[in-house]
Amino acid sequence: MSELKPTIGLEIHIHLLTGTKAFCGCKAHFGDAPNSNVCPVCMGYPGALPALNERGIFLGYKTAKALGCALEKNSIFERKSYYYPDMPKNYQISQFAQPLGTNGIFEFESSGARKKVRIHECHFEEDAGKMIHAGDMTLLDYNRAGYPLLEIVTEPDLHTGEEAEDFIQSLRRLVRHLGVCDGNMEEGSLRCDANVSLAPEGAPLGVKVEIKNLNSSRFVRKALGYEIERQNKAIAQGKTIIQETRLWNENRDVTESMRKKESSHDYRFFPEPDLPPFRPDAAFMARVDAEQVELPLARRDRYARAHGLSAEQAEFVSEERDVAEYFEKAIALGADAKTAAAWLSGDVKAQLNRSGGKLSECPLSAERLASLLKLLASGRIHAKIAKQALQAVFDEDADPEAVIKAKGWELLGAGPELDAMVAEAFAADAKSVAAVLGGNDKAMLALIGAVMKKSSGRAEPGALRASVEAKLASLRGK
Ligand code: ZN
Ligand code: MN
């Protein structure tokens, strides 16, 4: 039998950062007291009418645009009817016939290679509440019911669990850069359903199985890996794969059957009678355009190219938008890009890990990093002092310039202060002076060492040597 090729498609739900729910004014916020953010609309009371959250639909269009989708001029909302205890209306307002974006493409990187995944569509919809199973009872929290979601549906263009994991990580980075979603998978802000089927290369796609509600990219990889193996074994044993929905059991590392899969006609989609179509005008579309950002992958490539950064460094400074903006600001202020990237991904990161803070809020502002790196580049401090100064900036919330002045860490270059120290060392060690003058060059090291010690290591080695040699020359000339 020929090798079976897995084909994977993903549906990713992202919580849009609107502050309020999709069709009512309730707060959309994770972690509040259960059932504290509810009203007749999101609780599905009879006669309550939905009103579209324009910010939500805007963030949806903005994301669809970044994913290269064609944007719908006449977005239609539909009711998707099904019963579930966490959905008080017994239907979900979603989009079916004319979602806000279709036919996009997203480029990402997996195992060092560029991959393109086609985006089938992006649609706006509301989230359901949350069921909390506790022993033999189930608790219901409707705070999440009506939370605005964008569902991003890919074409089946992925083939391994690793690829799917990398895709989700890249998409997460994108939505965070766009500022449309916080990407907190552990809080359910970004959730993934994955479907997978097996078929011989070139043959029509096999029967697909959907794995629902994966809330970490690692689970996506592990669940797909497990499911591909399970289907391979079943097919090898002559069993048929049935179209079904399965759940990932993270305690047992297996997928388990949940229900036989419905098809879309089971949901009785029909136009939502209480919401008119959304028709974005030119001003709305202009705002969507104006809020586009450089895609994270493009930004990373640009950094690597323009500044000669290593792959890891370019990755690090482009991973989060606030870090990228900080990095660009430090360069604009005169910091060397390569050194800045090395420091950010090295010592600065270590400091932040220790203090647990964010770069944008830490005592080392972009101005301070630029100032510190310029002190280093100009030779006013050496590398070891620069690291001490970094520590002091974090500890004391002070400017690098002030720190090195206050602590006397500035290198001692050529000048009267250094010459005076050299004269003092000559006076204190007549024996070494006589030895050098008698032809023993090595004795000079004792003189240099004495000044270095006297200056607490701040004497700039080149300047020190020059001063010692000048002093010797003047003695020889006498
Ligand atoms: Zn509400
Ligand atoms: Mn959905």
Side-chain angles (χ1 to χ4, degrees):
M1 201 173 96
S2 67
E3 188 72 20
L4 297 174
K5 189 178 184 186
T7 298
I8 297 164
L10 301 175
E11 292 172 5
I12 293 131
H13 287 91
I14 61 168
H15 271 173
L16 296 168
L17 285 171
T18 47
T20 54
K21 293 190 181 180
F23 304 111
C24 62
C26 289
K27 213 165 95 182
H29 185 256
F30 178 84
D32 290 345
N35 299 307
S36 58
N37 301 325
V38 292
C39 76
V41 174
C42 53
M43 289 298 282
Y45 287 6
L49 293 172
L52 178 64
N53 184 331
E54 195 191 339
R55 181 72 190 154
I57 198 92
F58 175 77
L59 296 179
Y61 270 91
K62 180 175 162 181
T63 311
K65 170 95 187 179
L67 289 168
C69 289
L71 302 184
E72 179 58 57
K73 303 270 168 49
N74 189 43
S75 251
I76 296 175
F77 301 97
E78 270 110 347
R79 287 188 182 184
K80 180 180 182 184
S81 295
Y82 61 103
Y83 171 78
Y84 223 65
D86 59 10
M87 199 176 59
K89 292 195 300 233
N90 288 337
Y91 62 84
Q92 174 191 34
I93 302 179
S94 183
Q95 297 195 284
F96 184 65
Q98 281 164 227
L100 55 83
T102 48
N103 289 323
I105 197 140
F106 183 59
E107 191 177 23
F108 72 110
E109 206 173 79
S110 185
S111 314
R114 292 292 157 100
K115 302 250 154 72
K116 280 182 179 158
V117 166
R118 291 167 299 151
I119 305 296
H120 178 77
E121 67 172 65
C122 296
H123 63 254
F124 185 80
E125 62 185 23
E126 58 181 332
D127 206 349
K130 226 180 349 192
M131 289 196 284
I132 299 128
H133 304 287
D136 60 355
M137 51 179 188
T138 295
L139 302 169
L140 287 161
D141 177 6
Y142 290 113
N143 280 354
R144 208 179 64 185
Y147 211 118
L149 290 173
L150 187 72
E151 179 174 336
I152 300 162
V153 183
T154 77
E155 297 290 355
D157 289 345
L158 296 157
H159 301 284
T160 66
E162 286 73 22
E163 265 181 23
E165 179 178 34
D166 292 338
F167 174 85
I168 289 163
Q169 283 301 331
S170 304
L171 186 71
R172 179 177 179 274
R173 191 179 304 166
L174 172 73
V175 298
R176 285 172 59 83
H177 270 249
L178 288 169
V180 298
C181 173
D182 63 24
N184 285 335
M185 295 190 80
E186 63 284 2
E187 293 181 0
S189 300
L190 193 157
R191 309 195 296 268
C192 180
D193 303 338
N195 58 68
V196 54
S197 63
L198 299 187
E201 180 101 51
L205 295 182
V207 175
K208 81 180 171 188
V209 167
E210 184 175 41
I211 314 163
K212 267 224 168 306
N213 270 328
L214 295 158
N215 62 358
S216 102
S217 59
R218 192 167 51 89
F219 291 163
V220 171
R221 168 171 49 81
K222 289 171 79 176
L224 283 167
Y226 175 85
E227 190 56 28
I228 289 167
E229 207 182 304
R230 184 188 74 82
Q231 292 183 26
N232 255 318
K233 271 194 200 145
I235 293 166
Q237 289 166 3
K239 293 180 186 156
T240 18
I241 303 295
I242 46 170
Q243 184 176 335
E244 62 178 345
T245 299
R246 297 177 74 89
L247 285 180
W248 174 243
N249 183 328
E250 59 184 75
N251 300 314
R252 295 182 47 225
D253 276 4
V254 297
T255 64
E256 292 165 347
S257 183
M258 180 194 174
R259 59 168 188 249
K260 300 282 174 286
K261 177 69 183 169
E262 315 78 0
S263 37
S264 63
H265 60 253
D266 294 330
Y267 291 116
R268 310 292 297 180
F269 280 99
F270 71 92
E272 164 62 57
D274 295 331
L275 282 174
F278 179 75
R279 301 195 176 102
D281 59 13
F284 181 96
M285 289 302 202
R287 276 200 295 137
V288 168
D289 284 345
E291 288 205 13
Q292 293 303 308
V293 297
E294 183 178 23
L295 299 184
L297 198 57
R299 199 195 274 261
R300 196 198 68 184
D301 288 350
R302 177 167 65 83
Y303 287 167
R305 223 178 23 244
H307 308 304
L309 306 185
S310 72
E312 295 75 40
Q313 287 171 351
E315 178 91 21
F316 182 83
V317 290
S318 61
E319 169 83 33
E320 296 289 341
R321 190 167 158 188
D322 64 336
V323 177
E325 280 165 1
Y326 179 107
F327 173 68
E328 292 191 8
K329 189 166 175 193
I331 298 174
L333 290 165
D336 172 65
K338 244 178 126 97
T339 318
W343 276 63
L344 284 171
S345 58
D347 293 278
V348 175
K349 186 178 154 201
Q351 280 288 347
L352 289 173
N353 287 347
R354 259 196 295 280
S355 60
K358 276 179 64 181
L359 181 63
S360 51
E361 290 155 9
C362 81
L364 185 76
S365 62
E367 286 82 2
R368 284 176 173 175
L369 178 66
S371 144
L372 183 57
L373 296 186
K374 283 194 284 184
L375 286 166
L376 179 63
S378 67
R380 283 176 59 201
I381 55 174
H382 57 66
K384 194 164 150 262
I385 296 288
K387 305 225 157 159
Q388 286 177 33
L390 176 72
Q391 179 73 53
V393 169
F394 268 90
D395 291 347
E396 297 160 27
D397 192 1
D399 282 320
E401 186 82 44
V403 165
I404 65 158
K405 284 235 164 70
K407 309 218 183 245
W409 283 345
E410 200 164 352
L411 279 183
L412 195 52
E417 194 185 347
L418 185 62
D419 292 341
M421 280 189 188
V422 169
E424 214 176 305
F426 273 58
D429 190 359
K431 219 175 110 195
S432 295
V433 176
V436 185
L437 292 174
N440 179 3
D441 284 350
K442 277 198 181 151
M444 202 166 87
L445 293 179
L447 296 165
I448 289 175
V451 178
M452 198 50 104
K453 195 170 168 198
K454 176 118 187 99
S455 73
S456 316
R458 289 189 304 120
E460 200 272 295
L464 170 55
R465 197 178 178 91
S467 176
V468 168
E469 275 168 355
K471 180 91 182 152
L472 287 167
S474 78
L475 291 176
R476 282 194 186 101
K478 271 180 191 161

